[in-house]
């Protein structure tokens, strides 16, 4: 998979992809993540990427010109499955959406800023608008990092069997059961006996039961549909 991210703050996105699972996925050639600085495509003297909004009001709007030049360039090079705009008024990200996006070949992601992007960018180029939750971030970069992480970890070969994405919370509409590691007792708090029993059939049942219990308590909405 190839992912192109369009941003005015590429530095914000360098960290999340240069460590751990995201780093290894790139090293293994399972995903190619390209950061594009929108400012590099500005034709104005001072490399502006934003301007005052028509009709007045506080806050700048991201201009269409540099974004259009960059998107046209990328679109001429390959076909994109989706051109995504990260925005608080988008559809809220969930596991189903990440699963679907992980099946694509090429994805483009535009990170919003300020008051947002000129509406004509959305009309002309954007095929999908995504929010990561009902709160406001300073820009779309952190949201894009969340989206990309959730997609890349689903690509075949990225995770090993032990950490398989199939056993994640949400993948089966249940939260994960509690987990423990050594020591078997810490300050009087003991690991449940069943996990030390070696009876893997019983352990599976226990995990299922705990997952259901936790989901009922914390996220009953997941059980309704
Ligand atoms: Cl995608 N962008 C911004 N700026 N804020 C958000 C968001 C996105 N998703 C939730 N809050």
């Amino acid at each position: 998979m190839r992912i192109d991210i369009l941003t005015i703050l590429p530095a914000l996105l360098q960290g999340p992809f240069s460590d751990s699972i995201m780093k290894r996925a790139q090293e293994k050639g399972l995903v190619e993540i390209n950061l594009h600085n929108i400012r590099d495509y500005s034709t104005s003297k001072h490399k502006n990427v934003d301007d005052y909004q028509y009709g007045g009001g506080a806050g700048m709007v991201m201009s269409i010109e540099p974004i259009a030049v960059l998107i046209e360039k990328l679109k001429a090079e390959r076909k994109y499955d989706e051109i995504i705009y990260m925005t608080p008024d988008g559809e809220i990200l969930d596991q189903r959406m990440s699963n679907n996006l992980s099946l694509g070949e090429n994805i483009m992601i535009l990170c919003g800023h300020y008051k947002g992007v000129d509406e004509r960018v959305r009309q002309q180029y954007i095929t999908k608008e995504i929010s990561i939750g009902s709160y406001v971030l300073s820009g779309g970069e952190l949201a894009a990092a969340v989206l990309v992480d959730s997609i890349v970890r689903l690509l075949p070969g990225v995770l090993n069997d032990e950490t398989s994405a199939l056993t994640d919370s949400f993948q089966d509409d249940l939260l994960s059961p509690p987990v423990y590691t050594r020591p078997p007792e810490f300050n009087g708090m003991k690991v449940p006996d069943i996990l030390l029993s070696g009876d893997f059939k019983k352990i599976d049942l226990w995990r299922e039961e705990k997952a259901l219990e936790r989901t009922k308590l914390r996220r009953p909405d997941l059980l309704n549909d």
Side-chain angles (χ1 to χ4, degrees):
M1 172 180 272
R2 177 187 167 113
I3 302 176
D4 290 285
I5 307 180
L6 286 52
T7 170
I8 56 167
L9 297 169
L12 263 186
L13 283 162
Q14 271 149 14
F17 305 133
S18 59
D19 232 317
S20 187
I21 289 167
M22 294 303 119
K23 181 185 180 189
R24 260 185 290 126
Q26 291 171 89
E27 285 171 352
K28 284 195 207 166
L30 300 169
V31 66
E32 183 185 324
I33 301 172
N34 300 288
L35 302 179
H36 304 273
N37 192 341
I38 294 167
R39 204 173 294 279
D40 294 342
Y41 297 83
S42 174
T43 50
S44 75
K45 199 166 62 189
H46 299 289
K47 295 280 169 200
N48 291 327
V49 290
D50 60 343
D51 208 337
Y52 298 100
Q53 59 175 315
Y54 278 119
M60 306 294 277
V61 174
M62 289 170 74
S63 306
I64 188 168
E65 291 103 332
I67 295 171
V69 168
L70 177 50
I71 293 181
E72 291 288 358
K73 176 179 113 77
L74 292 169
K75 279 180 71 172
E77 290 165 357
R78 68 195 62 76
K79 190 171 162 23
Y80 284 89
D81 299 287
E82 297 283 4
I83 301 181
I84 298 165
Y85 176 46
M86 302 307 300
T87 172
D89 50 19
E91 187 184 350
I92 297 203
L93 179 66
D94 62 11
Q95 190 63 49
R96 181 192 52 80
M97 211 189 289
S98 297
N99 290 351
N100 287 336
L101 290 169
S102 77
L103 302 174
E105 198 62 45
N106 300 303
I107 291 175
M108 202 190 302
I109 304 174
L110 170 64
C111 303
H113 250 274
Y114 316 117
K115 276 279 158 201
V117 73
D118 189 305
E119 187 66 18
R120 291 166 293 184
V121 171
R122 299 165 79 157
Q123 288 169 350
Q124 185 68 27
Y125 297 113
I126 300 301
T127 61
K128 195 171 185 62
E129 304 196 330
I130 299 179
S131 160
I132 63 162
S134 303
Y135 43 83
V136 179
L137 301 170
S138 309
E141 282 76 12
L142 298 181
V146 167
L147 173 65
V148 169
D149 185 297
S150 76
I151 293 170
V152 169
R153 61 194 303 288
L154 296 170
L155 301 177
V158 169
L159 300 184
N160 55 39
D161 284 346
E162 278 154 67
T163 52
S164 163
L166 292 175
T167 60
D168 285 343
S169 274
F170 289 106
Q171 204 51 270
D172 51 5
D173 288 329
L174 288 182
L175 301 183
S176 291
V179 293
Y180 299 85
T181 186
R182 292 187 296 178
E185 185 174 339
F186 179 80
N187 287 350
M189 296 180 288
K190 292 179 77 173
V191 175
D193 286 335
I194 192 154
L195 294 177
L196 309 175
S197 70
D199 185 338
F200 293 104
K201 233 166 124 178
K202 272 196 181 154
I203 290 173
D204 275 351
L205 275 173
W206 181 87
R207 284 180 172 154
E208 241 170 75
E209 195 182 292
K210 291 291 168 189
L212 192 61
E213 195 178 293
R214 186 161 275 188
T215 309
K216 272 183 186 158
L217 198 66
R218 299 186 182 191
R219 293 295 306 275
D221 57 296
L222 293 176
L223 299 169
N224 291 337
D225 47 65

